[in-house]
Amino acid sequence: MSKRPRRAAVKKPIIVELSDSEEDFGGSNDNDDYRPTETRSRVIDRGAAAVASGAGKRKRWIDHKSNACSEEPAAPKKKRAKKDKENAIPNPSSSANEAAVEQSVPTASEVDGAAHSSAPVATTSSTTNRSSFWERRKVWNVYELLAETEHIQPTAARNIVQLFENENTIPFICRYRRDLVDHITPDRLRDIRNTYTDIVDLRKRAENIVTQLERDSVLNTDIREELMCAKTAEELEFLYAPYKPASKGTLAERAKALGLQVYADALLYGTAPQVHLVSAIDPKNSDLATEEQVMVGICNIIIHNISKNTSVLEELRRIQNVQRIVLKCSKTKSTTATKAATASKSAAASNGIADKKLDSSKFENYFNFQSDIKTIKPHQTLAINRGEKHKFLIVKVETNNYLKNDLMRFISDQYMSQGLQYPLRREVFSRALEECFTKKLHPLLCRQVRVELKEKATRAAIEVFGKNLKQLLLMTPLKGERILGIDPGFTNGCKLALVSETADVLETGVIYPHGRHSNLQGAKQKLVQLLSAYNCRVIALGNGTACRETEMWLTSLFQAGILDGRSIRYSIVNENGASIYSCSDVATKEFPKMDMNEISAVSIARRLNDPLSEYVKIEPRHLGVGMYQHDVNEKMLTETLNDVVSECVSYVGVDLNTASLSVLKHIAGLSEKKAEKIIEHRTQKGPFQTRKDLLSVRSIGEKTFVQCAGFVRIEPLSVGGKLSNPLDCTWVHPESYKVADACYRWTPVWYKFSCGTGNRFAQA
């Protein structure tokens, strides 16, 4: 098959017309409350000035031939840093500059008159001093920002927001509304909920700022729109910084009170006429007696204005993410460390805290440590923060010269590329810029870096807490076995507690195989007697003090043939929180006449029998499932761990007629008071026959019933072996009973009996 040669395609130049007018962008939206009603007249750079002067449209692709034949030469290319003059004054025309240079030097009376006049010299055509990018932003909705931040579908984000607004719990959403949220996992949904809370707080903060500025008569439509468009708390604070009232005692406010505001604005923005420091000297005022004092006051005002410039703050954030920043640690001096250790020891002695927390050897890895902030690990950040808190470490944030040069170049282009150019202005600006970076911008950068590292490390630590707690709660229980729990010890002996298959306490005791009061023969006889009397085949040994010694003693009994290794086996159990539980009110109510030491042995045995039911009795932060729990946000940690407990309990489910208060209060939708009401109703009126009987309990309404009904079951044995509705012992939610019944009726008879469900539904 022959191939025909293709003709060369002739590409025609495509001309795209761009316009800054409102009509070319689709017209104005009159329904937007935050959109300004009038067209903004902003003159940011020379290109914008050309548009405003009459050239309403411009061509992106220019014909070189027509350009060469034009009468006027092409304008030179502008530098990249000059394209965004956000907080600078409008660029005056060339004729205005020439006229300003040709006019005579102003007298002292003229400058003084301008200084005492009410109208400021430096006036801008832009109210908010922002670029056109910020003008065209849209005020977001909560679900839109949530979808953008968490990278989820807008439909799922809208459903999530609606579900959270209706006070639905995470276990309920993940099990019975998962089709509305794209089958998101509980851990992921928990992160999304935290983001949703932050977004709601951000909107409230923006509304409070708008209200405050409106009260101060500073607010207009442009400022209101920009504040409501902010998508992060940091961005909102950047936008609010220029309008935030400064403290009256700052150096800038003192200089403004001396009447130096006009001079500072004229030098910063380069407005005419030129400024002479001699005109600002006032011999009668001790703060304005010399030119140096006047220059210092003007520099303080300029430093304040630069440090509050929104464009400068955004550029600082951008450079922070681009340039290399190093976190360095070193050991404190011996004198400082000794003083800190002495003060800490006295504080620890008064509070009863162990002195081992103040050992500096724990921070040896960080005595000469440095790391890039992008690669530092979360646990390293938490360790460094703790060492700095105890005065063992000195922490510094170091930057390179590239960061400083880039930032100072950006600030210079923002201000010095426009207005009048004369030696005094350059001298004052250079001095103020150097001091601004040293005193304001660099410390701000260091604070931002440390705050971000701490937040990142805190989130990682809490995430580790949650994962470890979930694994601990969902351990496989050992059902149908009698278990002997041993809480090992030296002085007080090893406490024993034997529990039945249903976790009821059968017998307790104490043996002394170690220490000064050791009685190996008596301990051996007591242990063998308990195991043989109750036909117990499992031993649960706590992993606390004297655990290894007790394990070696048990091993010797197996080797000597005293204990039968073929039928008797032992397991080492985590006993974190057992001592705290034995002293708690829950343990006192459950075992009012039992010794606290023996209660801990009961807890160890039950942890092997049913880990979930036993661990929920203890506060999660006492279970030792994480690190640096005292260095993270306690409220945030407690909320996350409580959510994990509720998720695990709801995932496993409970029997409504046998569940204890400690387990029942963690069911999704229930609280401790509501759980108490359920137990009180169960005690007075007998066991619940159906799930719908929950509605007869006081304080259980329709909303609470919908949230918790799917996670509580009615076991047949608790109601005499016969259920009013067999679905009450399944995971099917009562709202889906009709659908389940309809599906069952269309199921073939042979399939029902093969699954063993035909007789159950026939009886119902």
Side-chain angles (χ1 to χ4, degrees):
M1 181 177 180
S2 61
K3 296 183 179 179
R4 297 178 60 186
R6 295 185 177 181
R7 297 179 60 185
V10 180
K11 295 184 179 180
K12 297 182 179 180
I14 301 175
I15 300 176
V16 181
E17 295 184 350
L18 302 178
S19 174
D20 289 336
S21 62
E22 195 69 45
E23 298 177 356
D24 293 338
F25 281 98
S28 60
N29 187 7
D30 298 334
N31 297 328
D32 194 350
D33 297 335
Y34 300 107
R35 191 173 182 85
T37 55
E38 299 179 0
T39 304
R40 303 184 186 94
S41 58
R42 290 177 180 246
V43 186
I44 305 298
D45 51 14
R46 293 179 181 176
V51 174
S53 61
K57 297 183 179 180
R58 58 187 182 276
K59 295 183 179 181
R60 177 173 294 177
W61 301 103
I62 302 176
D63 194 352
H64 297 286
K65 295 182 179 180
S66 62
N67 189 24
C69 297
S70 59
E71 297 180 358
E72 297 181 1
K77 274 190 174 182
K78 296 178 66 179
K79 293 183 179 180
R80 179 183 63 84
K82 293 184 180 181
K83 66 180 180 180
D84 187 17
K85 309 299 182 183
E86 297 187 358
N87 282 44
I89 63 169
N91 187 25
S93 61
S94 58
S95 59
N97 283 336
E98 294 174 358
V101 173
E102 291 176 357
Q103 60 178 285
S104 59
V105 178
T107 61
S109 60
E110 293 177 354
V111 178
D112 290 338
H116 292 85
S117 62
S118 58
V121 174
T123 59
T124 62
S125 61
S126 172
T127 308
T128 56
N129 300 323
R130 304 288 288 167
S131 64
S132 58
F133 166 75
W134 296 93
E135 294 182 24
R136 297 164 186 165
R137 296 182 69 184
K138 177 185 176 183
V139 179
W140 45 265
N141 293 324
V142 175
Y143 75 89
E144 293 175 344
L145 185 56
L146 183 64
E148 178 182 346
T149 305
E150 292 293 334
H151 307 290
I152 58 178
Q153 294 296 328
T155 304
R158 183 179 302 180
N159 294 336
I160 289 173
V161 170
Q162 186 175 0
L163 289 170
F164 284 150
E165 288 179 350
N166 294 334
E167 300 180 358
N168 290 279
T169 59
I170 290 179
F172 176 79
I173 295 174
C174 291
R175 174 168 291 180
Y176 300 109
R177 298 292 185 268
R178 59 180 179 270
D179 56 326
L180 299 178
V181 297
D182 287 347
H183 300 267
I184 295 177
T185 61
D187 296 336
R188 178 80 173 112
L189 189 59
R190 196 181 307 116
D191 296 336
I192 294 176
R193 187 191 60 181
N194 295 335
T195 304
Y196 164 74
T197 304
D198 295 339
I199 292 174
V200 173
D201 294 340
L202 175 64
R203 174 53 59 86
K204 291 181 180 179
R205 172 64 176 162
E207 292 175 351
N208 293 336
I209 292 176
V210 168
T211 304
Q212 180 65 31
L213 295 181
E214 188 176 4
R215 190 182 301 115
D216 297 338
S217 301
V218 180
L219 185 69
N220 59 22
T221 309
D222 294 342
I223 300 175
R224 180 190 183 111
E225 180 184 8
E226 289 188 354
L227 292 173
M228 300 304 294
C229 287
K231 294 184 177 181
T232 61
E234 182 182 28
E235 181 183 339
L236 180 62
E237 294 301 325
F238 285 172
L239 295 173
Y240 179 49
Y243 315 105
K244 186 181 297 184
S247 176
K248 296 182 179 179
T250 60
L251 297 176
E253 292 300 319
R254 295 177 187 175
K256 290 178 182 179
L258 296 174
L260 300 178
Q261 174 74 50
V262 178
Y263 298 97
D265 289 343
L267 289 171
L268 182 60
Y269 301 113
T271 55
Q274 294 185 8
V275 175
H276 297 275
L277 299 181
V278 180
S279 60
I281 297 177
D282 185 5
K284 299 180 181 179
N285 192 336
S286 59
D287 295 330
L288 300 175
T290 62
E291 290 188 7
E292 180 63 22
Q293 291 178 329
V294 174
M295 180 177 288
V296 170
I298 292 175
C299 288
N300 290 332
I301 297 176
I302 294 177
I303 290 172
H304 176 77
N305 292 340
I306 294 176
S307 64
K308 297 298 182 181
N309 190 322
T310 305
S311 301
V312 174
L313 297 177
E314 291 175 355
E315 181 67 13
L316 182 66
R317 167 62 62 183
R318 187 193 70 81
I319 293 177
Q320 175 185 332
N321 297 328
V322 172
Q323 296 290 350
R324 186 172 185 268
I325 302 176
V326 178
L327 188 71
K328 295 190 69 174
C329 302
S330 60
K331 186 179 180 181
T332 56
K333 297 180 180 179
S334 58
T335 56
T336 306
T338 304
K339 292 180 181 179
T342 304
S344 302
K345 284 181 181 180
S346 60
S350 60
N351 296 331
I353 302 176
D355 193 18
K356 62 181 180 180
K357 295 182 180 180
L358 305 175
D359 187 6
S360 62
S361 62
K362 295 182 178 180
F363 305 98
E364 289 179 351
N365 295 335
Y366 304 99
F367 285 165
N368 187 15
F369 175 84
Q370 68 175 11
S371 175
D372 194 324
I373 62 173
K374 296 182 179 65
T375 58
I376 191 171
K377 301 297 186 294
H379 70 273
Q380 293 175 334
T381 302
L382 294 174
I384 290 171
N385 292 343
R386 177 177 289 186
E388 184 183 25
K389 179 181 179 181
H390 289 292
K391 308 297 182 183
F392 294 127
L393 298 175
I394 297 177
V395 185
K396 294 181 180 180
V397 177
E398 292 190 355
T399 59
N400 50 34
N401 292 329
Y402 295 104
L403 186 148
K404 178 180 179 181
N405 296 336
D406 287 351
L407 183 61
M408 296 183 73
R409 188 184 304 114
F410 176 84
I411 298 174
S412 299
D413 290 340
Q414 286 281 311
Y415 294 99
M416 297 303 292
S417 61
Q418 304 178 24
L420 302 178
Q421 303 292 335
Y422 49 96
L424 179 61
R425 185 190 178 199
R426 288 190 289 270
E427 178 186 358
V428 173
F429 183 82
S430 300
R431 177 175 175 177
L433 181 58
E434 187 68 30
E435 293 184 8
C436 181
F437 180 82
T438 305
K439 298 180 180 179
K440 296 287 186 179
L441 298 180
H442 189 265
L444 174 62
L445 174 67
C446 296
R447 290 195 300 270
Q448 290 178 354
V449 169
R450 296 295 302 276
V451 168
E452 286 187 359
L453 290 178
K454 183 178 180 181
E455 290 179 352
K456 179 181 177 181
T458 299
R459 289 195 298 268
I462 293 177
E463 183 179 357
V464 171
F465 265 98
K467 289 182 178 179
N468 293 342
L469 178 62
K470 188 173 183 179
Q471 293 178 358
L472 186 65
L473 294 177
L474 295 181
M475 288 176 58
T476 304
L478 183 61
K479 295 292 187 180
E481 293 281 355
R482 295 185 178 184
I483 301 174
L484 175 65
I486 302 178
D487 183 13
F490 290 110
T491 305
N492 297 325
C494 297
K495 281 73 65 179
L496 305 178
L498 198 146
V499 298
S500 65
E501 296 84 353
T502 57
D504 296 327
V505 180
L506 300 178
E507 189 173 342
T508 61
V510 182
I511 58 177
Y512 296 90
H514 318 295
R516 296 176 300 175
H517 308 288
S518 63
N519 184 3
L520 294 177
Q521 187 66 24
K524 179 178 60 176
Q525 292 179 358
K526 180 71 172 178
L527 180 64
V528 174
Q529 178 186 356
L530 283 175
L531 294 176
S532 59
Y534 293 95
N535 194 22
C536 179
R537 295 290 180 265
V538 180
I539 299 174
L541 177 62
N543 64 345
T545 307
C547 170
R548 294 306 174 192
E549 291 78 3
T550 307
E551 184 182 9
M552 293 175 62
W553 176 64
L554 290 176
T555 304
S556 64
L557 296 181
F558 282 113
Q559 293 176 351
I562 300 174
L563 297 179
D564 187 4
R566 294 173 297 179
S567 60
I568 300 176
R569 57 196 186 276
Y570 72 92
S571 174
I572 297 179
V573 180
N574 182 9
E575 67 172 30
N576 285 333
S579 301
I580 297 176
Y581 163 71
S582 62
C583 303
S584 63
D585 296 336
V586 178
T588 304
K589 292 179 181 178
E590 190 173 3
F591 307 105
K593 298 181 180 180
M594 188 178 295
D595 183 60
M596 289 188 299
N597 295 324
E598 296 177 350
I599 294 178
S600 61
V602 174
S603 178
I604 292 173
R606 286 182 171 180
R607 292 181 184 192
L608 192 59
N609 175 268
D610 190 357
L612 180 63
S613 299
E614 192 63 25
Y615 281 124
V616 295
K617 300 177 182 179
I618 308 168
E619 292 187 26
R621 57 194 180 93
H622 293 150
L623 294 176
V625 292
M627 297 171 58
Y628 301 101
Q629 68 180 26
H630 300 293
D631 298 328
V632 300
N633 190 333
E634 184 177 356
K635 180 181 178 182
M636 194 175 179
L637 176 63
T638 303
E639 290 178 353
T640 302
L641 297 183
N642 289 337
D643 289 341
V644 172
V645 173
S646 177
E647 174 192 335
C648 294
V649 174
S650 301
Y651 173 79
V652 175
V654 298
D655 183 4
L656 189 58
N657 291 320
T658 60
S660 63
L661 175 64
S662 302
V663 177
L664 202 57
K665 68 180 181 181
H666 290 292
I667 291 293
L670 297 181
S671 61
E672 186 172 359
K673 292 184 178 180
K674 292 180 180 179
E676 290 177 353
K677 295 293 183 181
I678 292 175
I679 295 176
E680 181 181 350
H681 183 278
R682 186 176 68 192
T683 304
Q684 295 177 355
K685 299 185 179 181
F688 293 92
Q689 300 298 322
T690 63
R691 283 173 170 170
K692 291 186 178 180
D693 291 344
L694 274 173
L695 293 173
S696 61
V697 179
R698 195 190 315 173
S699 75
I700 302 294
E702 186 66 30
K703 181 181 292 187
T704 303
F705 176 76
V706 171
Q707 295 297 315
C708 70
F711 306 110
V712 295
R713 303 187 299 271
I714 307 294
E715 295 295 340
L717 295 178
S718 63
V719 290
K722 186 176 181 180
L723 293 174
S724 300
N725 190 339
L727 294 176
D728 283 340
C729 65
T730 65
W731 297 120
V732 181
H733 198 278
E735 65 184 7
S736 302
Y737 278 3
K738 294 182 180 179
V739 178
D741 185 45
C743 293
Y744 176 80
R745 290 181 180 180
W746 287 98
T747 304
V749 177
W750 63 268
Y751 182 77
K752 298 177 185 178
F753 282 94
S754 64
C755 296
T757 57
N759 293 331
R760 290 169 53 194
F761 275 81
Q763 293 175 0

